[in-house]
Structures are given as structure tokens and as C-alpha cells.
Amino acid sequence: MDILKGDHTNKIMMKNTEVSLVASGDGTEVIHHKLYKGSRWAMVPEDAWTALEHITILSGELIYNSPSGETLLLPGDSVSACPVDEHAIFLAKTEVEFLYVTSQPQFHYYSNAVKDMMELAIQVEQKDGYTAEHCDRIKEFAMMVGEKMGLASDEKYILNLAAFLHDIGKVKVPREILNKPGKLTDSEFELMKKHTTWGKETLEKTGLVDLIKAGEIIEQHHERYDGKGYPSHLKADEIRIEAAIITVVDAFDAMTTDRVYRKGMDIDDAFAELNACKGTMFHPKVVDTFISLRSKVEERR
Ligand SMILES: [Fe+2]
């Protein structure tokens, strides 16, 4: 018998989440998760995936959102599926710990890939002159809007990934261009525009279905409602709603954040600017929804 005490060796620390592989063998993994209050976790159907997946709550309170409704899970409660056939999103109402058991190993395969991408996204935002909070705020704001607009669980799951990773393609854009205080030259701007497609390609290379889907959203995060955006000049409802949400919250965060070369705008002015560009740059319903969440947005900043 293996006895594992305290500090688990196979531990992955991500922002708001700690994940430890506590036991594995014969194709089964037992993974301990600790989620901080407000963070999310998901069980999602995958092609050719036949595994049993099971969670048991150890401490804290976890809200379980599935297409059939919302349930509050308390210590001792559990959820099982074999295989997972619908998207389930879990939201930590308090700090929560649970054991996750799966009969097909995925811990290293999936967690490491997602973790690597998240670390890369954080490096990129720092290279871009933001603090490490930027990706987190974009993700939180995007999820607030997605929830209020009634996106389906699977759409919210991909939105969550895409929002955090939206600028990952900037890893290939030179630092001097990212941090250039003045206007970019035409050739510099052409290069900058490629970060949308580069982001999609970076996620495609992981070979992971969820990250590939997130990449499709990321490629569209600079499209404009009036069709004057890039890279594909998509317009209105040709643009995926998840991308339209990221566009609005990213613009808001960019306007209100202090950068090396300029002070951030105040919140009133930023909301006025979103309103002024409603229907041209931005999806009108997304802007209205975001503005309706103003008090929550201010709380989060
Ligand atoms: Fe971007």
C-alpha cells in the first residue's frame, strides 16, 4: 500500500487552483483539487472518451452548473458520470477541496498543457506592459458577461480559456512593437495584427480539443461589429459571441489600466467610450450587458 502524507509531489499550482495527483495506476488517477473562492473548474465531454469521472467534496461549497440546472454541493456530496456527456461547470462558492477520480489518465496530458499555456499568457502580458492581473480580470469580466447573457455551459468553458489566453499570439510580436508609445507604422501594425492568428496556431499545436476551440475564438478577438476589424473582416453575428465578449472586456481593461507610457482612463470615461462605439466596434448587446454589470466590475477592479 502506498501512503502519501502532506505535501504531494505531483502538484501543479495555478492561479486560484492547486491540483495534486495523489494516486495513479492501471489507468485510473485520483487527483486532489483545491479551488479558491470564485474560481471555476469543469468536466467536459471529449470525443472517444469513455472514462468514469467522479468528484467527492471534502470541504467547502461548490456550485454545480449543468445544462439541467444548478446544484449546491457540500462536503460528502459527489458527482459521477461515465462517460461525461454534458458540460458541467463548477464554481467555488467558498474555498473548496475535492477528490477527482478518472479511469483514463489525463492529468499530465491535459493539466500540463493548460498550465503551460497559462504561464505563456502571463509572460506575454508582462512583455506587453501589463501586470499579471490583466488575464485574470479579462477572464472574470468575460465570464460575468457570458453568464448574464445566458451562454451554454460548453460555451462558457471555452470562453473561460479563450479570455485568459486571448493575447497569447503576442509571444511572436517583438517587444519594441508591443511597447511602442507612438503610433505603429503600417508594417509594424501588419505584424501586430498577426497575433490573432498566431494565437490560434499556438493553441492548435497542443492538439487538445478545448484549446483548439479556444483558439478559434482567440483568432476573432480583434474583429469589429461593423466588419472593419482583423484578420478576416467578419461582421455582426459572423463573429462568435465569445469573441465579441472578449473584445469588449479587453478594450475596457486596456482603457482603464495604467501603462508604462500613459495613465489609465477613469471608469466613467471608459464606459462612455464603449457606449459610443456600440454597433461599430462592439457588439451592442455585449456592451449593454457589460454596462449593466458595472457595480460588479468596479468591485473586481
Ligand atoms: Fe489582442
Side-chain angles (χ1 to χ4, degrees), residues 48-158:
W49 190 259
T50 55
L52 163 76
E53 293 185 63
H54 170 95
I55 66 168
T56 296
I57 311 299
L58 302 174
S59 65
E61 297 179 12
L62 190 63
I63 299 168
Y64 166 39
N65 258 299
S66 71
S68 37
E70 191 177 289
T71 314
L72 182 65
L73 302 173
L74 300 170
D77 291 348
S78 60
V79 174
S80 293
C82 187
V84 171
D85 55 4
E86 57 181 27
H87 279 74
I89 305 256
F90 298 87
L91 172 66
K93 194 175 176 193
T94 61
E95 181 175 295
V96 61
E97 293 187 52
F98 61 89
L99 275 185
Y100 168 64
V101 180
T102 172
S103 67
Q104 276 179 4
Q106 59 169 4
F107 181 76
H108 295 291
Y109 169 66
Y110 185 78
S111 300
N112 285 349
V114 173
K115 181 181 135 256
D116 288 351
M117 289 299 120
M118 288 179 128
E119 281 174 359
L120 185 59
I122 291 168
Q123 281 170 26
V124 167
E125 72 181 355
Q126 288 168 345
K127 177 179 163 193
D128 199 7
Y130 283 106
T131 64
E133 281 289 291
H134 174 67
C135 292
D136 259 340
R137 277 198 307 268
I138 301 292
K139 187 185 79 177
E140 285 301 313
F141 294 156
M143 290 304 283
M144 285 179 203
V145 175
E147 265 157 20
K148 183 95 190 258
M149 289 182 76
L151 261 60
S153 308
D154 54 340
E155 291 169 326
K156 283 192 284 189
Y157 176 66
I158 300 301

Side-chain angles (χ1 to χ4, degrees), residues 222-230 233-235 239 280:
H222 284 282
E223 298 290 359
R224 291 172 44 132
Y225 197 75
D226 60 8
K228 294 181 181 164
Y230 61 86
H233 310 292
L234 301 175
K235 57 175 185 272
I239 305 166
T280 51

Side-chain angles (χ1 to χ4, degrees), residues 166-167 170 195 221-222 250:
H166 70 285
D167 267 344
K170 283 187 180 168
H195 81 276
H221 83 278
H222 284 282
D250 187 31

